[in-house]
Amino acid sequence: MRPAILNDLTKCIGCEACALACKEVNGLPDRDRRGTLSADTWTAVEHRNGLHIRRQCMHCLEPACASVCPVAALHKTPEGPVVYDADRCIGCRYCMVVCPFGIPKYEWDEPVPKVRKCVLCFETRLEEGRQPACTEACPTGATIFGDRDELVREAQRRIEAEPGRYVPRIYGLEEAGGTSVLYLSPVPFEELGFATLRDEPYPGLTWDILSKLPNVVSVGGVLLAGIWWITGRRETLKKARSGEISVEEALARKPPLVPLDDDDRAAPL
């Protein structure tokens, strides 16, 4: 099974139950409900042209964000969802630059910021055999969860059964090489702010461009290493100061703190 979501915009009533369920299951603050995605809002309902459009990570079949992440903080699981490991992240934000849908958001106001986005409830629900909180909460069946191939067939069935109700297109079927989040709409997707994209997977396009810029890549590698060292040291120091880890543990981590003599070890950090 390739887990996926089908959003039928003709059925959505704009109740935002999906957005609230997402916040609850992920422990996100109930704020910033402006119909746009943010570090605190991983599922949002946008209201445009009389329709309600649910926005979230598209979970690309070949995600560009994961392909450019130098430390695999963002990676696609064998099951399908694109998930995030904050402990690996060095804050380079390449994922934000290359995502064709503009999904990843950054915690600009946090002392130790992370990249934030929908992870399809992978650890909290999917691994337990349950559907994502958003699809379970939908009262009208506007957003449903299932196997991608089966959802594609269901979308095609709806279009064929009611050609006057839908535009003859499944958004996400081929865009950016295909996504795990699919849409049906009664009006052209371009009128609703959906991106017009190539059908080819974006990782290949990204690395094709980078391969022609060897100096940029090599210098960027050095820069990323420096960012990793600084960010990692800051996090280690923060944990040592709070007492979460001991001075000895801090010294053993990578990147390590500067070695301390006996007097320094006894002094507060």
Side-chain angles (χ1 to χ4, degrees), residues 111-149:
V112 183
K114 298 184 286 290
V115 172
R116 309 292 262 170
K117 74 171 199 69
C118 160
V119 293
L120 211 64
C121 294
F122 180 66
E123 293 183 352
T124 56
R125 298 177 69 91
L126 259 63
E127 286 193 319
E128 299 176 356
R130 303 161 67 194
Q131 65 175 308
C134 57
T135 56
E136 185 176 75
C138 182
T140 64
T143 179
I144 59 175
F145 175 77
D147 175 73
R148 186 177 189 271
D149 292 338

Side-chain angles (χ1 to χ4, degrees), residues 30-78:
D30 186 13
R31 63 187 182 197
D32 198 23
R33 292 173 59 188
R34 299 170 295 173
T36 57
L37 299 177
S38 70
D40 291 332
T41 300
W42 302 357
T43 291
V45 179
E46 178 184 353
H47 309 285
R48 184 183 293 207
N49 292 354
L51 293 173
H52 314 290
I53 307 119
R54 186 158 90 90
R55 307 288 191 185
Q56 66 173 104
C57 175
M58 299 292 284
H59 293 278
C60 300
L61 301 185
E62 296 186 43
C65 61
S67 75
V68 299
C69 183
V71 293
L74 279 165
H75 60 279
K76 189 174 180 66
T77 63

Side-chain angles (χ1 to χ4, degrees), residues 8-30:
D8 188 334
L9 302 186
T10 70
K11 293 177 176 287
C12 183
I13 59 175
C15 67
E16 299 190 8
C18 54
L20 292 174
C22 175
K23 284 182 175 290
E24 182 177 352
V25 75
N26 290 294
L28 301 172
D30 186 13

Side-chain angles (χ1 to χ4, degrees), residues 29-265:
D30 186 13
R31 63 187 182 197
D32 198 23
R33 292 173 59 188
R34 299 170 295 173
T36 57
L37 299 177
S38 70
D40 291 332
T41 300
W42 302 357
T43 291
V45 179
E46 178 184 353
H47 309 285
R48 184 183 293 207
N49 292 354
L51 293 173
H52 314 290
I53 307 119
R54 186 158 90 90
R55 307 288 191 185
Q56 66 173 104
C57 175
M58 299 292 284
H59 293 278
C60 300
L61 301 185
E62 296 186 43
C65 61
S67 75
V68 299
C69 183
V71 293
L74 279 165
H75 60 279
K76 189 174 180 66
T77 63
E79 294 80 4
V82 180
V83 299
Y84 173 70
D85 185 344
D87 291 334
R88 287 176 172 264
C89 185
I90 60 175
C92 67
R93 302 189 296 280
Y94 281 4
C95 55
M96 297 173 64
V97 175
V98 303
C99 175
F101 301 101
I103 296 298
K105 305 301 178 186
Y106 199 61
E107 294 178 323
W108 295 102
D109 55 348
E110 294 293 330
V112 183
K114 298 184 286 290
V115 172
R116 309 292 262 170
K117 74 171 199 69
C118 160
V119 293
L120 211 64
C121 294
F122 180 66
E123 293 183 352
T124 56
R125 298 177 69 91
L126 259 63
E127 286 193 319
E128 299 176 356
R130 303 161 67 194
Q131 65 175 308
C134 57
T135 56
E136 185 176 75
C138 182
T140 64
T143 179
I144 59 175
F145 175 77
D147 175 73
R148 186 177 189 271
D149 292 338
E150 293 179 0
L151 291 181
V152 169
R153 287 192 288 271
E154 172 60 19
Q156 292 171 336
R157 185 195 67 76
R158 293 185 189 183
I159 292 173
E160 292 172 0
E162 298 183 83
R165 184 181 178 92
Y166 303 99
V167 294
R169 178 184 177 188
I170 305 171
Y171 191 90
L173 181 61
E174 297 179 338
E175 282 77 10
T179 66
S180 299
V181 177
L182 308 167
Y183 288 86
L184 289 175
S185 172
V187 301
F189 288 99
E190 292 76 12
E191 296 180 10
L192 301 176
F194 283 76
T196 301
L197 303 171
R198 299 168 179 259
D199 290 346
E200 300 94 329
Y202 272 60
L205 298 172
T206 302
W207 286 114
D208 185 51
I209 294 172
L210 290 177
S211 67
K212 295 176 172 60
L213 302 171
N215 291 334
V216 173
V217 174
S218 60
V219 172
V222 174
L223 178 61
L224 285 174
I227 293 173
W228 171 80
W229 195 93
I230 293 170
T231 305
R233 188 181 185 282
R234 180 177 62 180
E235 177 69 7
T236 299
L237 184 58
K238 177 185 175 184
K239 290 183 177 180
R241 281 174 170 164
S242 67
E244 187 176 338
I245 61 175
S246 66
V247 173
E248 286 72 20
E249 289 174 314
L251 292 172
R253 290 200 168 193
K254 295 182 179 180
L257 297 178
V258 177
L260 305 174
D261 57 29
D262 292 338
D263 291 337
D264 288 332
R265 288 173 185 271

